[in-house]
Amino acid sequence: MGRRRQSVTIKHVAADAGVSLQTVSRVINNEPNVRPEMKERVQASIDKLGYVPSIAAQRMSGSRSYLILALNDRERTIADWQSRQGTDWVDQMLLGGMLKCAEHGYRMIFELVDTHNDHVQCELRAAIAALQPDGIILTPPHSENPLITSLLAEARIPFARIGSVTPGPGIAMTMDDEGSARLATQHLIDLGHRRIGFIAGPTDYAVAGWRIDGWRATMDDAGLSTEGLCERGDFGFESGVVAARKLLEQTDRPTAIIASSDQMATGTLEVARSMNLDVPADLSLVSFDNTPIVRFTEPSLTAVDQPIAATISRAVELLINAGKKDLPSEPVVVSGTLVERASTARPGANGVG
Amino acid sequence: MGRRRQSVTIKHVAADAGVSLQTVSRVINNEPNVRPEMKERVQASIDKLGYVPSIAAQRMSGSRSYLILALNDRERTIADWQSRQGTDWVDQMLLGGMLKCAEHGYRMIFELVDTHNDHVQCELRAAIAALQPDGIILTPPHSENPLITSLLAEARIPFARIGSVTPGPGIAMTMDDEGSARLATQHLIDLGHRRIGFIAGPTDYAVAGWRIDGWRATMDDAGLSTEGLCERGDFGFESGVVAARKLLEQTDRPTAIIASSDQMATGTLEVARSMNLDVPADLSLVSFDNTPIVRFTEPSLTAVDQPIAATISRAVELLINAGKKDLPSEPVVVSGTLVERASTARPGANGVG
DNA sequence: TTGAAAGCGCTAACAT
DNA sequence: ATGTTAGCGCTTTCAA
């Protein structure tokens, strides 16, 4: 293939502008101590020759790599991709992350890592050694994995923990799951619901717990009981079916259910259908995530929107500025919103009108 | 932040194993001329120290970058992400591309580029200069953009053109759109349909044309007319509504329609509903792409599945081996399949049974 | 404010 | 079969 070299290097620019390599380097990196006219001349040469620095060379000489690494759980991500259920978590990450990176001349690299694996550390160390990223974004369940966080802290690489509020190294960031759950619960209470069931996520996701907290707190505030109204699922469709069945087969069944994921919500919808319960007349339903499918179910689902793109965008910004500005010591909160659709109504309401 | 260096370098390994740098390098790259026992000893040191080569350094010294760049159209991709309609083209690309890359110790970098822009070339040149990828994957409409293909040919970077059969530089790859359209058309003919309408994609996508070709050829073979049965859309929902309306408001309206995208198919579904046409009793509908939403519409849609993951996977394989093996001179075909669901039936069939 | 020299980690080319 | 040498393109010293 013949070794491919950089077509235009800093040398060409230096020669063209009649200055030293160093001066060109200074202009590229916006460093001080360059006379405006000098800077202008160099910039002209850069533009003329279409010069772009090689990130490999930049990284080699000990500076930044201009790379931000985003890490997702391998197993779950691949399962989502293969099942083609419309989960667009990755897309929203890329949307927020890539655009913000581009603004600052960075690139985002997306990688998969096994959490449930004794050689997470090897895998991660390899990715770091190969890529030398300037910052890393951790998503659940990585965000709370001490094997990962301690490794990054030790390697002194700035990182963000999405969906984590635990104190410790790295920037803790949350989409305010508790607040979102409160929003959803209050919405149902305002509609007149008294028995509101909750289908929670698995215990290894911290966010699952916060959502329960928000629901329970709001119920308590309203003087409503939560006894026997909370079931656990694993975020998947089947687990939603099982949980919904347990909730709806009670003698005094709930008139509304909040599911901690869209998949579990569609599972609940399925159970309601099989029990001849009309949604929303007999059962109001709120789901979490607001992935594409909530628009296409019958009825469409009222859902909590998780601001994934906005959160990742913020994370990138903080990571790029790590070192310049101080890192936030408190968890960074990007709040979600409730999107009302056709699956919620007053209890016993007939028809849509 | 303090300059971060590689923690374990080739030097450490060489020292530990008591050999020269070059020998270590040979082991890393699986090169010949290393005695097995030597190789074993070096490998032991690599494992012991947890050494991983820095791709920056590898790239610097003129060898591979172990990076494959996948390029999508910026405008359309961002629009898809923001509209959250469940289009999972990007996800399927990553599924096929990242996993195959990982098998070979490569990484896939995903980037967005504006096609409809006079400085495509600048943008692309910048990405290449910064990243120095070993191979590039082009997707429609980039695959047929001469500004892009000529630049890559000149830079002598191996690349694949997904959705292109035009001869020229780069590996042409197709998901057999014509064949898929034949499949869909034949399926409808077999069910007894005679008037089969077609909603095509925009002219700047070559695949749009092939799909028409497949439909028309199959209709011709069956001795059926295509007169006034083909409308153009832009792959989006609204354009599907407009096209379907034109088709269905004819006096002798088609009993079946093939839409060139899932979005246009749901648009057609909407029109059918508004005209009180039952799908599939009054109108059979086949869509293209098989994105997640086709499972959630009412009825679920019979659709042509585009093997995106498989195609990208194959592309990565070919690019990595470029130079070693000869590149295919003929277009590489990865065929799609027809997934039958509830939106197709015999014309005039009542009920599902 | 500018420039020169040294070296980052690795591999190609050339010894031996 | 193994080692030595000379860079790759850039930034970090340090000197002027």
Side-chain angles (χ1 to χ4, degrees):
Chain A
M1 192 174 9
R3 63 199 259 133
R4 247 185 303 103
R5 314 163 119 89
Q6 207 78 351
S7 48
V8 181
T9 73
I10 197 170
K11 278 187 189 167
H12 300 112
V13 177
D16 185 84
V19 298
S20 71
L21 301 182
Q22 194 42 40
T23 304
V24 178
S25 175
R26 287 191 180 105
V27 172
I28 298 167
N29 298 294
N30 250 312
E31 276 171 28
N33 294 341
V34 184
R35 279 200 326 255
E37 52 190 276
M38 190 95 275
K39 182 166 180 170
E40 208 170 309
R41 196 169 66 184
V42 172
Q43 190 58 54
S45 294
I46 290 177
D47 295 340
K48 188 176 97 189
L49 300 175
Y51 166 74
V52 178
S54 147
I55 64 166
Q58 291 187 127
R59 174 58 241 175
M60 277 298 299
S61 51
S63 89
R64 303 165 170 239
S65 64
Y66 296 95
L67 259 28
I68 299 286
L69 185 60
L71 253 34
N72 259 30
D73 184 46
R74 175 178 286 126
E75 206 177 335
R76 171 163 294 274
T77 304
I78 291 179
D80 280 346
W81 283 343
Q82 288 178 336
S83 69
R84 304 195 71 171
Q85 296 290 304
T87 306
D88 64 346
W89 170 278
V90 173
D91 303 76
Q92 295 302 306
M93 283 185 72
L94 293 177
L95 175 59
M98 287 182 56
L99 297 191
K100 182 55 77 179
C101 275
E103 273 179 35
H104 296 267
Y106 277 67
R107 324 243 158 198
M108 163 157 286
I109 298 195
F110 184 78
E111 285 257 329
L112 303 177
V113 169
D114 272 321
T115 291
H116 305 295
N117 192 314
D118 33 340
H119 55 264
V120 213
Q121 297 207 319
C122 294
E123 231 183 309
L124 189 51
R125 239 190 288 266
I128 294 170
L131 263 14
Q132 297 281 95
D134 291 336
I136 296 185
I137 297 177
L138 259 30
T139 57
H142 295 326
S143 312
E144 307 256 303
N145 185 332
L147 259 41
I148 295 179
T149 53
S150 66
L151 173 59
L152 296 182
E154 211 174 294
R156 314 192 68 243
I157 299 178
F159 66 102
R161 290 178 275 123
I162 310 296
S164 177
V165 293
T166 320
I171 309 165
M173 300 189 72
T174 161
M175 303 193 210
D176 193 20
D177 291 79
E178 181 173 341
S180 296
R182 281 174 177 276
L183 232 49
T185 311
Q186 193 61 52
H187 169 63
L188 292 168
I189 291 175
D190 290 347
L191 284 171
H193 293 275
R194 293 289 163 257
R195 285 187 65 72
I196 302 173
F198 195 88
I199 302 180
T203 49
D204 55 334
Y205 281 69
V207 296
W210 304 335
R211 293 177 189 180
I212 299 179
D213 295 344
W215 163 71
R216 203 182 305 265
T218 311
M219 292 293 274
D220 286 351
D221 288 351
L224 301 174
S225 164
T226 54
E227 182 93 32
L229 287 174
C230 182
E231 293 291 334
R232 284 266 182 195
D234 64 6
F235 286 142
F237 178 89
E238 276 307 328
S239 76
V241 170
V242 173
R245 196 161 284 147
K246 278 197 195 142
L247 249 23
L248 293 174
E249 283 175 352
Q250 299 178 21
T251 47
D252 188 13
R253 63 168 180 76
T255 61
I257 288 181
I258 301 173
S260 293
S261 79
D262 288 333
Q263 311 293 333
M264 298 198 295
T266 56
T268 304
L269 217 46
E270 184 59 34
V271 171
R273 195 169 294 137
S274 74
M275 294 176 71
N276 274 317
L277 293 174
D278 182 80
V279 175
D282 303 320
L283 178 72
S284 278
L285 184 57
V286 179
S287 79
F288 255 88
D289 291 349
N290 197 30
T291 54
I293 60 169
V294 299
R295 294 164 183 73
F296 299 99
T297 53
E298 183 49 41
S300 61
L301 300 178
T302 294
V304 169
D305 181 72
Q306 297 281 99
I308 302 166
T311 305
I312 301 296
S313 177
R314 188 92 189 82
V316 167
E317 203 161 28
L318 289 167
L319 290 173
I320 289 177
N321 288 321
K324 290 184 208 164
K325 300 173 185 169
D326 298 317
L327 293 183
S329 49
E330 291 295 294
V332 177
V333 179
V334 182
S335 291
T337 52
L338 186 71
V339 182
E340 293 182 39
R341 295 201 182 81
S343 67
T344 47
R346 301 190 329 275
N350 283 320
V352 185
Chain B
M1 193 176 4
R3 64 198 257 130
R4 250 184 299 106
R5 313 165 121 87
Q6 208 77 351
S7 49
V8 182
T9 74
I10 198 171
K11 278 186 188 168
H12 298 113
V13 177
D16 185 84
V19 297
S20 73
L21 300 183
Q22 194 45 37
T23 303
V24 178
S25 176
R26 288 192 179 104
V27 172
I28 297 166
N29 298 295
N30 253 313
E31 276 171 29
N33 296 339
V34 185
R35 279 202 325 253
E37 52 190 279
M38 190 94 273
K39 183 167 180 168
E40 207 169 311
R41 195 169 69 183
V42 172
Q43 190 59 54
S45 293
I46 290 177
D47 295 341
K48 188 176 97 188
L49 301 175
Y51 168 73
V52 178
S54 148
I55 63 166
Q58 293 187 127
R59 173 58 242 175
M60 278 299 298
S61 53
S63 87
R64 305 165 167 240
S65 65
Y66 294 96
L67 259 28
I68 299 287
L69 186 58
L71 253 33
N72 260 32
D73 184 48
R74 174 178 287 126
E75 207 178 334
R76 171 163 295 274
T77 304
I78 292 179
D80 281 345
W81 283 342
Q82 287 178 335
S83 70
R84 305 194 72 171
Q85 295 291 304
T87 305
D88 64 347
W89 169 278
V90 173
D91 302 76
Q92 296 301 307
M93 284 186 71
L94 293 176
L95 175 58
M98 288 183 57
L99 297 191
K100 181 56 76 179
C101 276
E103 272 178 36
H104 297 267
Y106 276 67
R107 326 243 156 198
M108 163 158 286
I109 299 194
F110 183 79
E111 286 257 328
L112 303 177
V113 168
D114 272 321
T115 290
H116 305 295
N117 193 314
D118 34 339
H119 56 265
V120 211
Q121 298 208 318
C122 294
E123 233 183 309
L124 189 52
R125 238 190 289 265
I128 293 170
L131 262 13
Q132 296 282 94
D134 291 335
I136 296 185
I137 297 177
L138 259 30
T139 56
H142 295 327
S143 311
E144 307 256 300
N145 184 333
L147 259 42
I148 295 180
T149 54
S150 65
L151 173 59
L152 295 182
E154 211 174 296
R156 313 192 70 242
I157 299 177
F159 67 101
R161 289 178 276 124
I162 309 296
S164 177
V165 292
T166 319
I171 309 167
M173 301 190 71
T174 160
M175 303 193 209
D176 194 18
D177 291 81
E178 180 174 341
S180 296
R182 282 175 177 275
L183 232 51
T185 312
Q186 194 59 54
H187 168 63
L188 291 168
I189 292 175
D190 290 347
L191 284 171
H193 293 275
R194 293 288 162 257
R195 285 187 65 74
I196 303 173
F198 196 88
I199 302 179
T203 49
D204 55 334
Y205 282 69
V207 296
W210 306 333
R211 293 177 188 180
I212 299 178
D213 295 344
W215 163 71
R216 202 183 306 265
T218 310
M219 293 292 276
D220 285 352
D221 288 351
L224 300 174
S225 163
T226 54
E227 182 90 31
L229 287 172
C230 182
E231 291 292 334
R232 286 264 181 195
D234 64 4
F235 286 142
F237 177 89
E238 276 307 329
S239 75
V241 169
V242 173
R245 195 162 284 147
K246 279 196 195 141
L247 249 23
L248 293 173
E249 282 176 351
Q250 298 179 18
T251 47
D252 188 14
R253 63 168 180 75
T255 62
I257 288 181
I258 301 173
S260 292
S261 79
D262 288 333
Q263 311 293 332
M264 296 197 297
T266 56
T268 304
L269 216 48
E270 184 58 33
V271 171
R273 195 169 292 136
S274 75
M275 294 176 70
N276 274 317
L277 294 175
D278 183 79
V279 175
D282 303 321
L283 178 72
S284 279
L285 184 56
V286 179
S287 79
F288 256 87
D289 293 347
N290 197 30
T291 53
I293 59 168
V294 297
R295 295 164 182 74
F296 299 99
T297 53
E298 183 51 39
S300 61
L301 300 179
T302 294
V304 169
D305 182 73
Q306 298 280 98
I308 303 165
T311 305
I312 301 295
S313 177
R314 187 91 189 83
V316 166
E317 205 162 24
L318 289 167
L319 290 173
I320 290 178
N321 288 322
K324 291 184 206 163
K325 299 172 188 172
D326 297 318
L327 294 183
S329 50
E330 292 295 293
V332 177
V333 180
V334 182
S335 291
T337 52
L338 186 72
V339 182
E340 293 182 38
R341 296 202 182 81
S343 67
T344 47
R346 301 192 325 277
N350 283 318
V352 187

mmCIF file with all atom_site columns, all heavy atoms in Angstrom, chain A residues 23 119 178 184 196 312 319:
data_model
loop_
_atom_site.group_PDB
_atom_site.id
_atom_site.type_symbol
_atom_site.label_atom_id
_atom_site.label_alt_id
_atom_site.label_comp_id
_atom_site.label_asym_id
_atom_site.label_entity_id
_atom_site.label_seq_id
_atom_site.pdbx_PDB_ins_code
_atom_site.Cartn_x
_atom_site.Cartn_y
_atom_site.Cartn_z
_atom_site.occupancy
_atom_site.B_iso_or_equiv
_atom_site.pdbx_formal_charge
_atom_site.auth_seq_id
_atom_site.auth_comp_id
_atom_site.auth_asym_id
_atom_site.auth_atom_id
_atom_site.pdbx_PDB_model_num
ATOM 1  N N   . THR A 1 23  ? 6.568   28.885  15.578 1.00 0.00 ? 23  THR A N   1
ATOM 2  C CA  . THR A 1 23  ? 5.601   29.965  15.408 1.00 0.00 ? 23  THR A CA  1
ATOM 3  C C   . THR A 1 23  ? 4.292   29.424  14.833 1.00 0.00 ? 23  THR A C   1
ATOM 4  O O   . THR A 1 23  ? 3.212   29.811  15.261 1.00 0.00 ? 23  THR A O   1
ATOM 5  C CB  . THR A 1 23  ? 6.187   31.045  14.487 1.00 0.00 ? 23  THR A CB  1
ATOM 6  O OG1 . THR A 1 23  ? 7.414   31.486  15.042 1.00 0.00 ? 23  THR A OG1 1
ATOM 7  C CG2 . THR A 1 23  ? 5.240   32.213  14.352 1.00 0.00 ? 23  THR A CG2 1
ATOM 8  N N   . HIS A 1 119 ? -12.190 -8.890  33.267 1.00 0.00 ? 119 HIS A N   1
ATOM 9  C CA  . HIS A 1 119 ? -11.122 -8.096  32.678 1.00 0.00 ? 119 HIS A CA  1
ATOM 10 C C   . HIS A 1 119 ? -11.604 -6.778  32.068 1.00 0.00 ? 119 HIS A C   1
ATOM 11 O O   . HIS A 1 119 ? -11.104 -6.325  31.074 1.00 0.00 ? 119 HIS A O   1
ATOM 12 C CB  . HIS A 1 119 ? -10.281 -8.892  31.681 1.00 0.00 ? 119 HIS A CB  1
ATOM 13 C CG  . HIS A 1 119 ? -11.050 -9.545  30.584 1.00 0.00 ? 119 HIS A CG  1
ATOM 14 N ND1 . HIS A 1 119 ? -11.461 -10.851 30.632 1.00 0.00 ? 119 HIS A ND1 1
ATOM 15 C CD2 . HIS A 1 119 ? -11.465 -9.054  29.392 1.00 0.00 ? 119 HIS A CD2 1
ATOM 16 C CE1 . HIS A 1 119 ? -12.092 -11.143 29.510 1.00 0.00 ? 119 HIS A CE1 1
ATOM 17 N NE2 . HIS A 1 119 ? -12.113 -10.066 28.750 1.00 0.00 ? 119 HIS A NE2 1
ATOM 18 N N   . GLU A 1 178 ? -35.155 11.359  39.900 1.00 0.00 ? 178 GLU A N   1
ATOM 19 C CA  . GLU A 1 178 ? -36.114 11.492  40.982 1.00 0.00 ? 178 GLU A CA  1
ATOM 20 C C   . GLU A 1 178 ? -37.141 12.578  40.656 1.00 0.00 ? 178 GLU A C   1
ATOM 21 O O   . GLU A 1 178 ? -38.345 12.369  40.792 1.00 0.00 ? 178 GLU A O   1
ATOM 22 C CB  . GLU A 1 178 ? -35.397 11.826  42.302 1.00 0.00 ? 178 GLU A CB  1
ATOM 23 C CG  . GLU A 1 178 ? -36.368 11.957  43.443 1.00 0.00 ? 178 GLU A CG  1
ATOM 24 C CD  . GLU A 1 178 ? -35.695 12.115  44.805 1.00 0.00 ? 178 GLU A CD  1
ATOM 25 O OE1 . GLU A 1 178 ? -34.503 11.774  44.936 1.00 0.00 ? 178 GLU A OE1 1
ATOM 26 O OE2 . GLU A 1 178 ? -36.393 12.575  45.732 1.00 0.00 ? 178 GLU A OE2 1
ATOM 27 N N   . ALA A 1 184 ? -44.027 12.734  36.883 1.00 0.00 ? 184 ALA A N   1
ATOM 28 C CA  . ALA A 1 184 ? -44.958 11.725  36.364 1.00 0.00 ? 184 ALA A CA  1
ATOM 29 C C   . ALA A 1 184 ? -46.031 11.414  37.406 1.00 0.00 ? 184 ALA A C   1
ATOM 30 O O   . ALA A 1 184 ? -47.229 11.359  37.091 1.00 0.00 ? 184 ALA A O   1
ATOM 31 C CB  . ALA A 1 184 ? -44.196 10.464  35.983 1.00 0.00 ? 184 ALA A CB  1
ATOM 32 N N   . ILE A 1 196 ? -51.500 4.331   42.383 1.00 0.00 ? 196 ILE A N   1
ATOM 33 C CA  . ILE A 1 196 ? -50.569 4.462   41.260 1.00 0.00 ? 196 ILE A CA  1
ATOM 34 C C   . ILE A 1 196 ? -49.442 3.458   41.425 1.00 0.00 ? 196 ILE A C   1
ATOM 35 O O   . ILE A 1 196 ? -48.650 3.542   42.370 1.00 0.00 ? 196 ILE A O   1
ATOM 36 C CB  . ILE A 1 196 ? -49.988 5.890   41.186 1.00 0.00 ? 196 ILE A CB  1
ATOM 37 C CG1 . ILE A 1 196 ? -51.135 6.906   41.056 1.00 0.00 ? 196 ILE A CG1 1
ATOM 38 C CG2 . ILE A 1 196 ? -49.004 6.017   40.035 1.00 0.00 ? 196 ILE A CG2 1
ATOM 39 C CD1 . ILE A 1 196 ? -50.699 8.355   41.154 1.00 0.00 ? 196 ILE A CD1 1
ATOM 40 N N   . ILE A 1 312 ? -25.085 14.647  27.420 1.00 0.00 ? 312 ILE A N   1
ATOM 41 C CA  . ILE A 1 312 ? -23.797 14.266  26.845 1.00 0.00 ? 312 ILE A CA  1
ATOM 42 C C   . ILE A 1 312 ? -23.079 15.506  26.328 1.00 0.00 ? 312 ILE A C   1
ATOM 43 O O   . ILE A 1 312 ? -21.865 15.660  26.484 1.00 0.00 ? 312 ILE A O   1
ATOM 44 C CB  . ILE A 1 312 ? -23.987 13.248  25.694 1.00 0.00 ? 312 ILE A CB  1
ATOM 45 C CG1 . ILE A 1 312 ? -24.698 12.005  26.207 1.00 0.00 ? 312 ILE A CG1 1
ATOM 46 C CG2 . ILE A 1 312 ? -22.634 12.884  25.087 1.00 0.00 ? 312 ILE A CG2 1
ATOM 47 C CD1 . ILE A 1 312 ? -23.951 11.206  27.231 1.00 0.00 ? 312 ILE A CD1 1
ATOM 48 N N   . LEU A 1 319 ? -15.620 18.194  30.053 1.00 0.00 ? 319 LEU A N   1
ATOM 49 C CA  . LEU A 1 319 ? -14.382 17.421  29.906 1.00 0.00 ? 319 LEU A CA  1
ATOM 50 C C   . LEU A 1 319 ? -13.330 18.195  29.126 1.00 0.00 ? 319 LEU A C   1
ATOM 51 O O   . LEU A 1 319 ? -12.147 18.179  29.466 1.00 0.00 ? 319 LEU A O   1
ATOM 52 C CB  . LEU A 1 319 ? -14.666 16.087  29.219 1.00 0.00 ? 319 LEU A CB  1
ATOM 53 C CG  . LEU A 1 319 ? -15.463 15.089  30.061 1.00 0.00 ? 319 LEU A CG  1
ATOM 54 C CD1 . LEU A 1 319 ? -15.830 13.866  29.236 1.00 0.00 ? 319 LEU A CD1 1
ATOM 55 C CD2 . LEU A 1 319 ? -14.669 14.687  31.296 1.00 0.00 ? 319 LEU A CD2 1
#
